[in-house]
Amino acid sequence: MALTLDRRLFLALAGAGTGAAALSACGGPDTSGASTGAAEDLDFKDVKPAASIDFWSSHPGKSQDVEKELIAKFEAANPGIKVNLVTAGSSYEEIAQKFQTAQAAKSGLPAVVVLSDVWWFRYFINGSIIPMDALIKQLGFEVADYRDSLVKDYQYDGKQWAMPYGRSTPLFYYNKDHFKAAGLPDRAPKTWAEFAEWGPKLQAATKAKYAYMYGPMAGYAGWTLQNNLWGWGSGWSNGWDVTCDSPEAIEAIQWVQDSVYKDKWAGVSSKDQSDDFAAGIASATIASTGSLVGTLKTAKFNVGVGFLPGGPKSESPVCPTGGAGLGIPAGISKEEQLAAAMFIKFVGEPENTAAFSAATGYMPNRKSADMTKVLAKTPQIQTAIDQLAVTRVQDNARVFLPGADQEIAKSISAIVTQKADVTATMGGLKKTLEGLYERDVKPKLA
């Protein structure tokens, strides 16, 4: 599959109607229905904001308390508007399902909805969200002050379809006490080869069962393992060429399997690797920056954080971005849409994004956010901010092929929990991913 297809063309083609079965399979919204017809040029000049709106959130990074605080501040500044915080699911996928159900029923829609970086364009495809540009202009959003790489994730065809909210990168977490006991330097490993040397030392010097804990494969294996694939010189794909069965990719994933079964210094979490790490079961792990504050509160030891390790081919950049933004549904009144935009603008103000970052560990979305107090209390957040400069755009096969993320997770789970043959499994994964392309993308090229 040597065709080069950029993101703009893909989305334009996808807008013509992608396969319903594949999109439903990935846990996100079904895009087989008719478009809701989001207006291209919305005029809000003579609109008054609604008196009450619903905000659907999964409380990323255990952010429910800080979300309540931000809502209280917003209502105090805007006494004519009430914001109802609704727990719409425990994950981005659950919100996607709930949002799709409300779309189909044409009722019960929120005014503000959390959209992950992987899911937002699917809402765009079926016209479920509105472009925010008219609202941004009318309300005076300072878009230029948002961190460029984060705000651009929600831009398409010259329009802004959402604004950053709980944005993150993976971080390398390590137990400083364990590292000291093992005679290791107080830092993250520069490469995975270096950590492979450290693993047995950590197990010998501590009571930890594992030197390292992989996250549950049913979660975001496709997200975090891009780090290993990039470090070994490959990826899930190169543009739209699926490369998960390349010699480099096979070597990378074989190394991952060996760390669990052959070398036995790594484990695979059944629930949450951050919790396992904080409990002292493992000396190190990779988890979202959104887990940082919670991990620091829970752990009974000194926690260190660092950049993701590199591999034998690339030491940098080997870190993806991730997380969620806030969007506005198309199927609600202009009054609700205006109130929603006012709330999104308020949440994104420098002092509020700093407060959200302080409470969760997610990135401060604004360049001008004063992080002095936050960093004085949680200096580890600076590492996450610094790592933004060496992040890399995620592989197309993971974020744009419908259903691909779940197929990746299924294959990697078989490799690291059932000791499936790496070459055969990755070869099968390639066929599956190419099948998604052939069925849901290629037919639209004509």
Side-chain angles (χ1 to χ4, degrees):
M1 186 171 67
L3 177 65
T4 299
L5 181 64
D6 65 22
R7 172 177 174 172
R8 177 177 301 230
L9 177 58
F10 170 69
L11 288 177
L13 294 167
T18 50
L23 285 164
S24 297
C26 64
D30 175 11
T31 61
S32 61
S35 168
T36 56
E40 288 294 313
D41 296 302
L42 297 171
D43 184 358
F44 293 86
K45 287 188 298 184
D46 298 319
V47 177
K48 293 184 179 179
S52 178
I53 59 172
D54 288 346
F55 168 34
W56 281 11
S57 178
S58 59
H59 320 305
K62 301 178 181 178
S63 57
Q64 187 168 9
D65 289 343
V66 71
E67 286 176 334
K68 290 179 179 178
E69 293 172 6
L70 292 175
I71 288 171
K73 286 179 62 179
F74 173 80
E75 291 177 341
N78 300 273
I81 305 175
K82 177 176 174 56
V83 178
N84 307 301
L85 180 61
V86 177
T87 300
S90 61
S91 66
Y92 300 139
E93 289 74 18
E94 289 184 7
I95 284 186
Q97 294 285 7
K98 186 177 178 69
F99 188 63
Q100 175 63 20
T101 300
Q103 285 287 334
K106 297 183 179 179
S107 66
L109 286 167
V112 181
V113 61
V114 168
L115 319 166
S116 86
D117 59 330
V118 173
W119 301 108
W120 78 265
F121 76 92
R122 300 171 193 238
Y123 298 127
F124 158 76
I125 287 172
N126 68 359
S128 296
I129 55 176
I130 65 168
M132 293 182 60
D133 303 84
L135 290 161
I136 286 171
K137 182 177 180 180
Q138 180 173 322
L139 298 176
F141 280 65
E142 297 179 88
V143 177
D145 187 47
Y146 280 78
R147 295 184 184 275
D148 297 339
S149 63
L150 303 185
V151 76
K152 287 180 179 178
D153 280 341
Y154 305 100
Q155 293 175 356
Y156 168 70
D157 198 24
K159 291 183 173 60
Q160 191 76 40
W161 296 91
M163 295 299 289
Y165 182 50
R167 296 307 310 277
S168 62
T169 63
L171 273 179
F172 187 90
Y173 292 73
Y174 65 97
N175 185 321
K176 285 173 170 274
D177 299 345
H178 285 186
F179 274 46
K180 183 177 180 179
L184 301 176
D186 185 8
R187 61 170 174 81
K190 295 179 180 179
T191 65
W192 283 112
E194 183 175 44
F195 190 77
E197 296 176 358
W198 295 357
K201 296 178 181 179
L202 286 164
Q203 287 180 304
T206 71
K207 295 181 180 180
K209 184 175 182 179
Y210 301 108
Y212 180 82
M213 184 69 77
Y214 292 103
M217 294 298 113
Y220 296 100
W223 184 48
T224 57
L225 288 181
Q226 286 173 120
N227 160 251
N228 299 80
L229 292 170
W230 294 343
W232 265 257
S234 188
W236 300 121
S237 64
N238 179 11
W240 285 103
D241 289 336
V242 177
T243 57
C244 65
D245 70 335
S246 70
E248 295 84 1
I250 297 297
E251 184 181 354
I253 302 303
Q254 184 65 62
W255 184 91
V256 170
Q257 186 187 66
D258 287 347
S259 69
V260 175
Y261 287 102
K262 180 182 177 182
D263 302 321
K264 298 182 179 180
W265 49 258
V268 181
S269 177
S270 59
K271 293 183 179 180
D272 187 323
Q273 72 270 33
S274 298
D275 291 344
D276 294 337
F277 169 72
I281 297 172
S283 298
T285 193
I286 283 178
S288 168
T289 54
S291 301
L292 177 56
V293 172
T295 298
L296 292 173
K297 288 180 180 178
T298 306
K300 304 300 182 183
F301 51 83
N302 293 312
V303 176
V305 295
F307 288 13
L308 301 197
K313 296 287 182 67
S314 299
E315 289 192 23
S316 181
V318 291
C319 179
T321 57
L326 299 177
I328 302 175
I332 59 175
S333 69
K334 282 190 174 182
E335 289 77 11
E336 291 174 297
Q337 290 169 344
L338 177 58
M342 292 170 65
F343 178 68
I344 292 173
K345 179 177 185 291
F346 183 85
V347 168
E349 294 294 344
E351 65 273 18
N352 293 328
T353 190
F356 190 84
S357 181
T360 62
Y362 279 111
M363 299 292 96
N365 293 315
R366 295 288 288 272
K367 299 172 185 175
S368 63
D370 184 356
M371 298 294 289
T372 305
K373 292 182 179 179
V374 175
L375 293 173
K377 183 179 180 181
T378 313
Q380 294 91 339
I381 291 177
Q382 186 63 57
T383 300
I385 295 172
D386 292 343
Q387 192 176 217
L388 275 174
V390 290
T391 53
R392 177 172 166 179
V393 176
Q394 294 193 62
D395 293 335
N396 286 8
R398 191 225 164 197
V399 294
F400 291 130
L401 283 180
D405 199 29
Q406 282 65 35
E407 294 296 340
I408 291 170
K410 187 189 304 180
S411 295
I412 299 301
S413 179
I415 289 170
V416 299
T417 66
Q418 301 169 35
K419 206 176 181 181
D421 181 79
V422 175
T423 300
T425 304
M426 296 297 275
L429 176 61
K430 178 178 181 175
K431 291 181 180 179
T432 299
L433 297 181
E434 288 189 331
L436 294 174
Y437 169 82
E438 294 290 335
R439 184 177 66 244
D440 299 323
V441 177
K442 188 176 181 180
K444 313 302 179 184
L445 295 179

